[in-house]
Amino acid sequence: MRCYLDMDPGIDDALALAVALKQCDVAGITSVAGNVEGKKTFDNTGRLLKVFGRPDVPVVPGATRPLLLFESIFAEHVHGSSGLDGYPLLGEGVKASSRLPAWQWLAAGLAAESRPVDLIATGPLTNMARFLAGFDNDDYQQRVRAITVMGGSLSGGNVTSTAEFNFFADPDAADLVLGSGWPVRMVGLDVTTLAGMPTSDLARLGQQGRAGEVLEGLLGFYAQALERIGEAVDQIYLHDAVAVAAACHPEKFVWKKAPLRVVREGELRGTVVEVLGQSHGRPLVDVAVDVDREWFLSFVWESLTQYKTG
Ligand code: BDR
Ligand code: CA
């Protein structure tokens, strides 16, 4: 499966990237401000590509602030101030592959593809919203098979009691993407929290070559952070890697179709709401509601063991 990634590394983004590089043909990556500020997520993406042996994958920096909101929120308490705390000295990143804004570069990339590709977004949806708003014509829509998004939740949040981080960080972008009418799959906390990796598997990570050592350090830091804030004990939520798995193998997930809105301000900011009764013209989004955890974890390990031999 050929895909473009849009991400904000971020520790679980790092794992998602490691998995995607082994499971998909990654055509390029756009970075976005999210877990940390935009310059850091761009640099981190390049650093990770080097660690994973793929500095050839093009990366273009994207939005550094939300679509409409003035203030940005970050998740440094989970990912550290670098966005990739837990493994020192990750080295230099890579140069931007284009001077175009990420969403224009993505549009040009899609125009050059001979077949429809997948988009997988694991950060706030600012770049995706700019892309969809700027290029929502039939021509582009036929070039995208599906947009799989890690974000949102129908069953409780991780920033507020109802809102998930990526949607809370840029609720306007999330609302636009879910209402775009493009084929969108939402992989939210409903399902990512069903598929945590046991903390006892951390040491096994370290046995998967240099990439595994780096991931062991990063995920060890992240596991402690999740435990400190009371989000997960004895397991590590691999949110963004679940979105990669869902894009590659949607048949392994249980989906429900729903017309959705994202609350854009106030106390419920970032909360996903099902539009009940008449859908008021909102398109149906595929929402992941269940996954086979054992299958997911074996999908992750099957990817990571490939780093053992470089
Ligand atoms: C999402 O928020 C970020 O902190 C993670 O990288 C993931 O994309 C989980 O709510
Ligand atoms: Ca992320």
Side-chain angles (χ1 to χ4, degrees):
M1 184 189 93
R2 189 163 164 83
C3 64
Y4 286 79
L5 307 179
D6 181 59
M7 50 180 26
D8 63 333
I11 291 175
D12 57 324
D13 299 80
L15 182 80
L17 177 59
V19 171
L21 289 169
K22 295 300 182 189
Q23 298 285 347
C24 323
D25 171 14
V26 178
I29 305 177
T30 50
S31 62
V32 64
N35 285 320
V36 286
E37 67 193 52
K39 171 150 182 15
K40 291 182 184 174
T41 61
F42 171 71
D43 288 341
N44 286 345
T45 305
R47 290 186 178 112
L48 290 168
L49 284 171
K50 284 186 171 173
V51 169
F52 300 146
R54 293 297 309 279
D56 56 298
V57 174
V59 193
V60 176
T64 54
R65 41 167 291 194
L67 198 59
L68 299 177
L69 294 174
F70 283 110
E71 96 281 18
S72 299
I73 66 145
F74 303 122
E76 295 180 347
H77 61 299
V78 178
H79 302 265
S81 63
S82 71
L84 293 178
D85 278 21
Y87 192 94
L89 302 175
L90 268 186
E92 293 291 307
V94 296
K95 286 212 170 79
S97 303
S98 169
R99 287 172 177 239
L100 287 175
W103 44 95
Q104 284 182 18
W105 176 78
L106 179 60
L110 290 181
E113 295 287 342
S114 53
R115 297 212 184 122
V117 298
D118 278 72
L119 307 182
I120 306 174
T122 60
L125 290 171
T126 325
N127 289 339
M128 290 294 107
R130 287 187 186 277
F131 166 71
L132 295 178
F135 304 96
D136 62 344
N137 57 50
D138 287 348
D139 186 41
Y140 277 97
Q141 200 154 341
Q142 281 161 17
R143 293 173 187 277
V144 175
R145 204 172 64 134
I147 305 173
T148 305
V149 166
M150 191 284 129
S153 171
L154 296 178
S155 55
N158 60 1
V159 176
T160 66
S161 61
T162 54
E164 180 280 334
F165 175 81
N166 289 335
F167 281 22
F168 184 88
D170 195 342
D172 300 288
D175 190 54
L176 198 147
V177 171
L178 297 189
S180 65
W182 289 52
V184 176
R185 297 187 189 126
M186 183 183 117
V187 179
L189 300 178
D190 313 299
V191 72
T192 64
T193 54
L194 299 179
M197 172 187 273
T199 315
S200 51
D201 279 1
L202 272 174
R204 183 177 167 199
L205 270 178
Q207 294 157 15
Q208 318 304 321
R210 164 125 204 283
E213 271 172 38
V214 171
L215 288 170
E216 182 189 8
L218 298 177
L219 284 156
F221 177 91
Y222 175 77
Q224 283 178 5
L226 292 186
E227 191 161 342
R228 201 169 45 242
I229 61 178
E231 227 180 83
V233 179
D234 298 334
Q235 60 173 327
I236 311 172
Y237 292 149
L238 308 179
H239 306 289
D240 293 341
V242 183
V244 172
C248 295
H249 290 285
E251 76 283 359
K252 297 288 186 186
F253 288 71
V254 177
W255 301 91
K256 87 169 199 181
K257 286 191 183 294
L260 303 175
R261 289 221 68 126
V262 180
V263 179
R264 293 158 71 164
E265 56 190 0
E267 273 179 30
L268 291 177
R269 169 178 157 182
T271 305
V272 179
V273 179
E274 281 190 73
V275 183
L276 295 175
Q278 289 186 335
S279 66
H280 300 283
R282 291 295 281 191
L284 296 174
V285 170
D286 285 313
V287 184
V289 291
D290 202 3
V291 61
D292 178 343
R293 179 187 189 217
E294 295 312 312
W295 169 82
F296 168 69
L297 291 175
S298 60
F299 173 83
V300 169
W301 283 114
E302 199 255 313
S303 318
L304 297 182
T305 48
Q306 295 181 47
Y307 287 94
K308 217 176 209 165
T309 50

